[in-house]
Amino acid sequence: MRSRAGLLLALLALAAPRLPAQGEGVRRVACRVTAVDPGKGVLIDRGTRDLVKEGDAVEFRPRGAAPVTGRVTAVTDRSATVEVVGVGAMPPTGTRGEVLLPEGRKAPAPEAGGEAVPPVPDKPGPGGEEGPGRTPPTFRNQDEGFRQGQPLLVGMRPRRPAERATRVVGRGWFIGDLVKDQDDWDNSLVRLGSAATIENPFGHGGNLGVDFEFNYKTETNLVRGTDLLVRELAYDMGGTRFDADGFVFGRFLQRGLPELQYLDGAEWIHRTEGGDRYGASAGFMPVPDEDFDTGDDFQLALWYEWVDSLEEELVLTAAYQKTFHHGNADRDLLLAKVRYLPRDAWRFQGNLWVDFYLANGDAGKPSVEVTEAWLSLSRDWDDGSGTDLTFRHSVLPYMQRFEFVVPITFQELLDSRYDVLSLDLWSADQGDGRTRGTFAAWIDEDDVGGSAEVGEEFARLLSVYSTTELSLYGNVAKGSNGLGARLWHRVTGPGLNWSLLYDFSYRHFPSIADDRDDLLQHRARLTGDLDPWGGADLHLYGEARLYDEELTWSLGFYLQWRF
């Protein structure tokens, strides 16, 4: 273990000279997890309009847990997919986070979209100088129809998708996690995969998307398994400024509402001139595990999304999904979403999942039940301070489809309940750091309690491009209570980002015998993000956890390259 940790430190040390003399400023853009993409990552509510790009680092702060980091792997206009790196649970829907953007990043210049005419070189005067001896430039396009005050690109014919050249864009990845606990290597794994889009492959303007992965891992039952996981093999067409209707066929994460999960089937999306969208989908639902088995569950879905204007400050969405398990009527789900994101005012977001129990076998459940909900009211001020108030509610819905849920009794399903109200506060970022606090109260089927965490960030404490954070936290409940402290040091710079985290906590369990009712936990984690060559990202980590007298350690890497 010491030799591997030394290798990791050596790699970081070799890359350290690539850091600049002065660190590039980092601008933090608040984000929120809106959906979990099984086996791949999470979706956040920030996209290209917020200047987010592939490769950007993201930090999540799940309630009652250490921070989780990720990397943006795909971006759309209003959302982005973030792949969580390293071993750890996915941050649940509603988790608050921050996208780390370079301070100097600006919006890209608008794309012409038309046929460009190669410029004709000027004929310089004597000695190449400007002045009376210089021949005026000659342009092949004289723009006879252009009038003063018109847009620069007026009259240029935009290139249609079918006229564009065929090309392949995407990324590949190689992931390895070596995990050793007290007894075995159960959670170790190797993943090798690629996600690519072939643009205009058949000359009709559509796109062919492919996302696959080879997995080798030791599973919890100690049986080693190798799986070929195909997350996407789909062809989409339309949905451009030339065609208001878009169609997707194959296996894909539903485009209109990713919350409705993956589909083996087809989806239709229509966009109106005012910006509203609506659509429908039909097909089988793969089981969201390492195999994505399909054929047991069929779904039909309808949805509508209303926007107040093309700026989309206010967006209201409603969807209905009907599922069938082995041909029998199963789930009736109504999904409602609201997003109000003005530029300099209070923001409000929320999701509401409502299950209607119309099929047989749902005795003990009400006819209508809110099974999932999260509501968030937040505000960021110009000085960098902000606040976020979030409520989350969750119960297990009654479904015949339970392949991906830990087996429980029917009574446990009926009693399931989880509600939490949390408040996040953070002070203005004046360049030297900021103060933040998180306070929460929760209740579930067995217990009730509360938690609090306060932290101070110190910018440039050890170097001009570093941030050091010290946090104190604690929780109180009937089943357990505890206190802890966390130190997190991060360095951000071109070519290398690295961090060191140490977490210590004490937990007391009143219901356990006196000789085992206290537990000390230590956690140390070292990570590094490198750019080994153009278009590639390499994430390395080493972690050790000591639970009382049980030691668990892990080493891993995440290599991603773009093409």
Side-chain angles (χ1 to χ4, degrees):
M1 176 180 176
R2 285 193 295 269
S3 62
R4 291 188 175 92
L7 175 60
L8 180 61
L9 288 170
L11 288 172
L12 295 178
L14 289 173
R18 301 177 64 184
L19 287 171
Q22 291 185 347
E24 183 179 12
V26 174
R27 181 167 62 91
R28 297 174 177 270
V29 177
C31 66
R32 178 77 64 175
V33 175
T34 59
V36 177
D37 182 351
K40 191 172 183 180
V42 297
L43 296 165
I44 62 174
D45 58 351
R46 296 293 186 177
T48 54
R49 66 173 51 193
D50 307 293
L51 305 185
V52 175
K53 295 182 179 181
E54 290 188 22
D56 286 339
V58 185
E59 296 175 356
F60 297 106
R61 296 183 180 275
R63 189 190 68 82
V68 177
T69 59
R71 184 74 59 178
V72 175
T73 58
V75 188
T76 65
D77 186 44
R78 297 177 302 168
S79 64
T81 300
V82 179
E83 188 152 16
V84 177
V85 296
V87 178
M90 291 287 184
T93 301
T95 301
R96 188 174 65 84
E98 294 176 324
V99 186
L100 277 59
L101 305 181
E103 188 68 41
R105 179 177 295 175
K106 299 180 180 180
E111 181 182 353
E115 297 287 352
V117 178
V120 178
D122 299 341
K123 181 180 178 181
E129 74 279 3
E130 297 183 358
R134 182 180 176 89
T135 302
T138 302
F139 297 97
R140 294 164 60 183
N141 184 357
Q142 299 297 324
D143 289 333
E144 291 85 356
F146 182 80
R147 295 188 302 275
Q148 191 68 27
Q150 288 184 325
L152 180 62
L153 301 179
V154 66
M156 294 191 67
R157 186 181 70 83
R159 184 180 298 178
R160 293 179 176 271
E163 299 173 337
R164 299 182 183 273
T166 300
R167 68 167 184 164
V168 180
V169 294
R171 64 186 183 96
W173 61 85
F174 185 27
I175 302 172
D177 285 309
L178 183 64
V179 182
K180 177 66 170 68
D181 60 20
Q182 197 74 0
D183 301 316
D184 44 45
W185 308 78
D186 277 0
N187 294 312
S188 301
L189 59 87
V190 174
R191 298 165 55 190
L192 178 64
S194 178
T197 299
I198 307 175
E199 299 177 355
N200 195 21
F202 308 119
H204 301 294
N207 298 317
L208 179 64
V210 180
D211 185 337
F212 68 93
E213 185 176 89
F214 289 98
N215 294 331
Y216 175 80
K217 65 179 182 177
T218 58
E219 301 174 0
T220 54
N221 57 5
L222 301 183
V223 178
R224 291 172 174 82
T226 302
D227 298 291
L228 171 59
L229 173 60
V230 179
R231 276 187 290 257
E232 179 169 323
L233 182 57
Y235 184 76
D236 65 83
M237 54 190 302
T240 66
R241 56 176 168 170
F242 305 102
D243 191 352
D245 293 289
F247 300 89
V248 190
F249 309 92
R251 168 172 289 185
F252 55 93
L253 182 66
Q254 298 198 42
R255 306 289 202 255
L257 283 183
E259 292 89 345
L260 299 180
Q261 296 301 335
Y262 282 86
L263 189 69
D264 288 333
E267 182 179 19
W268 162 67
I269 301 175
H270 178 84
R271 184 181 179 91
T272 68
E273 293 185 358
D276 295 357
R277 299 189 309 155
Y278 54 86
S281 63
F284 289 96
M285 303 172 64
V287 179
D289 58 13
E290 69 275 7
D291 297 315
F292 264 43
D293 290 334
T294 188
D296 292 339
D297 297 274
F298 188 83
Q299 74 97 52
L300 297 169
L302 299 169
W303 58 271
Y304 191 97
E305 184 174 82
W306 175 88
V307 299
D308 63 331
S309 65
L310 294 179
E311 291 293 324
E312 298 187 4
E313 283 193 350
L314 176 62
V315 181
L316 303 176
T317 307
Y320 172 74
Q321 184 183 53
K322 175 66 178 179
T323 68
F324 300 84
H325 183 68
H326 293 159
N328 299 317
D330 192 10
R331 192 177 193 184
D332 291 272
L333 173 66
L334 175 65
L335 172 61
K337 297 172 56 180
V338 58
R339 189 183 68 204
Y340 178 59
L341 300 178
R343 296 189 181 276
D344 296 310
W346 286 90
R347 302 187 304 270
F348 179 74
Q349 297 185 80
N351 283 7
L352 193 67
W353 300 62
V354 182
D355 276 88
F356 297 86
Y357 299 113
L358 307 177
N360 296 328
D362 51 20
K365 283 280 191 179
S367 57
V368 180
E369 182 179 38
V370 177
T371 51
E372 191 80 24
W374 69 267
L375 305 172
S376 171
L377 180 66
S378 60
R379 176 72 188 268
D380 289 302
W381 282 272
D382 292 338
D383 62 358
S385 60
T387 183
D388 183 294
L389 180 65
T390 299
F391 170 75
R392 184 178 179 188
H393 165 80
S394 179
V395 301
L396 290 176
Y398 174 82
M399 294 187 298
Q400 300 177 48
R401 185 195 192 199
F402 269 110
E403 296 95 333
F404 56 94
V405 177
V406 177
I408 60 174
T409 66
F410 186 69
Q411 188 59 46
E412 289 174 330
L413 183 147
L414 294 178
D415 294 338
S416 69
R417 176 189 178 186
Y418 178 74
D419 295 279
V420 58
L421 179 66
S422 62
L423 174 65
D424 290 273
L425 302 167
W426 56 95
S427 67
D429 187 352
Q430 302 294 344
D432 296 324
R434 60 177 177 171
T435 304
R436 62 175 186 84
T438 300
F439 310 91
W442 55 269
I443 184 172
D444 62 19
E445 63 270 16
D446 297 320
D447 208 343
V448 60
S451 62
E453 179 174 337
V454 293
E456 181 73 22
E457 290 185 2
F458 304 93
R460 300 183 293 274
L461 181 64
L462 300 180
S463 65
V464 295
Y465 33 77
S466 69
T467 301
T468 305
E469 180 178 334
L470 177 62
S471 301
L472 302 176
Y473 59 88
N475 76 285
V476 177
K478 293 187 301 182
S480 68
N481 50 71
L483 295 171
R486 181 184 304 117
L487 179 66
W488 191 17
H489 181 70
R490 293 161 286 173
V491 176
T492 302
L496 171 66
N497 300 330
W498 66 272
S499 69
L500 176 64
L501 181 145
Y502 173 71
D503 195 309
F504 170 78
S505 64
Y506 161 79
R507 300 186 64 84
H508 176 69
F509 301 90
S511 59
I512 300 179
D514 290 343
D515 59 340
R516 291 173 294 172
D517 60 346
D518 296 318
L519 178 65
L520 296 179
Q521 301 181 21
H522 301 264
R523 178 193 181 198
R525 181 181 180 92
L526 177 64
T527 67
D529 289 289
L530 317 174
D531 298 326
W533 60 84
D537 302 309
L538 176 62
H539 174 85
L540 303 171
Y541 85 91
E543 179 171 308
R545 296 172 181 250
L546 180 62
Y547 295 96
D548 204 7
E549 298 180 354
E550 296 185 5
L551 176 65
T552 300
W553 59 266
S554 58
L555 294 170
F557 65 88
Y558 174 71
L559 174 63
Q560 174 183 261
W561 60 95
R562 301 180 184 86
F563 52 85

